[in-house]
Amino acid sequence: MNNFTYAKTTDATQAIDQLNGSTQNKIVAGGTNINDLLKYFITTADKLVDINPFTDNHAITELENGGVRLGALVTNADTAYHPLIESRYPLLSRAILAGASAQIRNMATNGGNLNQRTRCYYFYDINTPCNKREPGSGCSAIGGYTRIHAILGQSENCIAVFPSDMCVALAALGATVNITGPGGYRVLAFADYHRLPGDTPHIDNNLQHGEIITGIDLPATGFKKNYSYLKLRDRASYSFALVSVATGLSLDGNIIKEACIALGGVAHKPWRVTAAEDFLKGKEAKRENFAAAADIILQGAQGYAYNDFKIPLAKKAIVRNCMMALNPETQRPGAQPSK
Amino acid sequence: METNNTHTTSLRVNGNDYQLNILPWVSLLDALRENLDLTGTKKGCDHGQCGACTVLVDGKRVLSCLTLAVMKDGSEITTIEGIAKNEALHPLQKAFIEHDAFQCGYCTPGQICSGIGMLKEGKAHTREEVKELMSGNLCRCGAHKGIIDALMEVKEGGNYE
Ligand SMILES: Cc1cc2nc3c(=O)[nH]c(=O)nc-3n(C[C@H](O)[C@H](O)[C@H](O)COP(=O)(O)OP(=O)(O)OC[C@H]3O[C@@H](n4cnc5c(N)ncnc54)[C@H](O)[C@@H]3O)c2cc1C
Ligand code: SF4
Ligand code: FES
Ligand code: FES
């Protein structure tokens, strides 16, 4: 790590003040991503601003509109196992528990999870060009080894994927992100939080320097009856997704009233396609319809040789996960594949 | 870096109080090993990928390699050195011996601290769930079967305080 200074802060006003002055003044929460990046010199800091001593933002609370607010500083583990989340948003519990390891989930915070950076091998190797790490240097993944890379929404400047599991569920649920900063308080829809790489792959999301996430709000509908999270990866546990799918269904008998489907591991942000969800509305909840929706979601997908497999894999994963959502017990660890 | 960048950090480790003047980038792992000479906690990868450095901070299992010591000012930490009660081994330590749950022993301190954290969390009910919730601790010697056997025995015995 480079040499940096350190400041503890107890509220957002103090933290905003400490972040001011240099874009190299950075927030540390659970530390599971930023400390790793600092150790590799992928990122550097003048000052780390510790927001853990905040008096607020450590709770999970019910909102008047029927939704639930996740404090930014609640750990991923405490969120996944919270009675309100387990009972009303089991999709979110599942997705969080599919990520990282128990120790990391005990450290990682909800605010930090949204801001974790890609696991692209070349981003991690400071001896290779990477537009995300060093704007304008080029993209080593294009023409390189691309097993973990994007098939949707990529640009000629970057084909990295955003690696979070939790955020795939938050995207499917239609959460909102609460942000406070020098310019005041604002709320972003989850779909507007993360960005596609375009010409600015070094910018992962729309948080401005100096801004702090204080919480994440979940809407009232949690799809607690029909939901499923499926994560496909190279190891059975403690490994990032090659493809993941979060599905929430609202059914009337066997007719779909509402379908929310988000993909992870395929793009620079959780991938959600309204046209596919509209297509499913009013249709029977069956394999053929989910397969047609999967085709809509994967429209325009492009592989880079080593990740071509992700296109058929994602289609099958969508169908399987939607079928599992009809019968959520089928997604227990060790459960048999759906027939 | 000038010394006015050090931070007075109080840690209660295995029941003993320490005050360290520490630079902000020192990991809890290095503070334990280098400053306090508690070398039981192991450095495997130093990047959150192996679990060898697992300790209990305020009762919860975390990775000391990704933790900055300054951030744990005022915390209570238990390392492998604090698991036995005087000469009496912890039930999980005994079970590790009985079940041959290690070969080189390098991952063992992390496995035991993680295992105690996992048992206290109370979220693993089946062998399958124990495996899943211990997946953050790798064993290069492949002693996982013995490790899970040991954990299952202690879990079923219910005696892991
Ligand atoms: C070995 C390993 C395996 C992993 N596997 C997975 C996995 O399978 N799935 C998965 O989803 N994740 C995985 N992770 C990533 C992990 O989930 C993230 O590192 C974690 O969620 C980040 O949260 P944190 O609080 O530790 O963030 P920090 O490391 O503290 O911060 C990360 C970033 O967020 C910023 N930040 C933090 N809090 C705020 C806030 N409130 N407002 C604004 N900015 C903020 C920081 O400035 C920093 O840029 C893995 C990590 C490791 C090390
Ligand atoms: S894919 Fe993105 S992160 Fe990876 S090397 Fe290319 S520019 Fe860098
Ligand atoms: S040394 Fe900390 S996880 Fe490997
Ligand atoms: S006993 Fe050797 S690494 Fe586990």
Side-chain angles (χ1 to χ4, degrees), chain A residues 238, chain B residues 29 42-54 63-66:
Chain A
Y238 200 16
Chain B
L29 174 60
K42 299 300 183 224
K43 183 182 284 191
C45 63
D46 210 21
H47 288 283
Q49 300 179 356
C50 74
C53 66
T54 304
L63 301 176
S64 59
C65 72
L66 291 184

Side-chain angles (χ1 to χ4, degrees), chain A residues 97-260:
Chain A
L97 294 175
S101 68
Q103 291 97 314
I104 293 169
R105 295 190 296 266
N106 277 344
M107 304 168 71
T109 64
N110 294 335
N113 195 302
L114 269 61
N115 294 290
Q116 63 176 295
R117 308 215 63 195
T118 186
R119 309 305 281 207
C120 170
Y121 331 111
Y122 305 100
F123 174 73
Y124 262 81
D125 177 356
I126 58 169
N127 298 310
T128 60
C130 166
N131 287 324
K132 189 180 277 301
R133 187 170 22 77
E134 214 178 309
S137 63
C139 171
S140 301
I142 297 174
Y145 188 61
T146 54
R147 182 169 175 78
I148 63 171
H149 289 81
I151 51 171
L152 288 162
Q154 64 278 48
S155 75
E156 70 276 18
N157 302 305
C158 178
I159 60 170
V161 304
F162 176 60
S164 166
D165 289 293
M166 177 181 189
C167 290
V168 182
L170 291 174
L173 290 166
T176 52
V177 187
N178 307 330
I179 297 166
T180 190
Y185 182 76
R186 64 188 182 116
V187 176
L188 277 181
F190 207 78
D192 299 330
Y193 187 77
H194 296 101
R195 296 161 59 104
L196 291 179
D199 296 333
T200 51
H202 59 293
I203 308 175
D204 293 346
N205 57 55
N206 289 315
L207 193 77
Q208 305 292 314
H209 178 73
E211 287 189 318
I212 299 157
I213 296 177
T214 56
I216 299 151
D217 287 357
L218 305 175
T221 308
F223 303 104
K224 65 179 183 200
K225 273 176 65 188
N226 292 107
Y227 68 91
S228 183
Y229 188 73
L230 175 64
K231 180 175 183 183
L232 301 171
R233 43 186 159 172
D234 282 330
R235 296 198 296 221
S237 182
Y238 200 16
S239 176
F240 287 93
L242 291 167
V243 169
S244 73
V245 193
T247 301
L249 297 175
S250 158
L251 301 173
D252 185 358
N254 199 32
I255 301 300
I256 300 168
K257 286 199 301 189
E258 192 184 359
C260 296

Side-chain angles (χ1 to χ4, degrees), chain A residues 3-6 8 29 32 35-36 39-40 48 50 52 78 81 101-107 237-238, chain B residues 1 5 7 24-25 46-49 54 60-61 63 65-67 70-71 114 121 132-133 135-137:
Chain A
N3 292 358
F4 50 79
T5 61
Y6 169 79
K8 286 189 202 298
T32 60
N35 291 341
D36 188 32
K39 285 187 185 196
Y40 282 119
L48 282 192
D50 185 354
N52 290 287
D78 287 346
Y81 293 126
S101 68
Q103 291 97 314
I104 293 169
R105 295 190 296 266
N106 277 344
M107 304 168 71
S237 182
Y238 200 16
Chain B
M1 202 79 189
N5 193 24
H7 293 254
W25 52 84
D46 210 21
H47 288 283
Q49 300 179 356
T54 304
K60 288 191 174 174
R61 49 177 170 161
L63 301 176
C65 72
L66 291 184
T67 304
V70 284
M71 292 176 68
S114 182
E121 286 159 16
E132 170 60 32
L133 291 176
S135 71
N137 292 84

Side-chain angles (χ1 to χ4, degrees), chain B residues 67-105:
Chain B
T67 304
L68 299 177
V70 284
M71 292 176 68
K72 293 301 161 195
D73 185 22
S75 295
E76 183 145 348
I77 292 154
T78 306
T79 68
I80 190 66
E81 289 91 343
I83 300 293
K85 294 248 166 28
N86 303 315
E87 296 300 297
L89 292 183
H90 184 279
L92 189 57
Q93 291 175 308
K94 285 189 203 150
F96 262 59
I97 296 170
E98 253 163 56
H99 290 276
D100 243 343
F102 45 81
Q103 197 179 105
C104 76

Side-chain angles (χ1 to χ4, degrees), chain B residues 101-108 111 138-143 147:
Chain B
F102 45 81
Q103 197 179 105
C104 76
Y106 200 79
C107 71
T108 313
Q111 299 279 4
L138 307 187
C139 174
R140 293 299 294 269
C141 299
I147 293 167

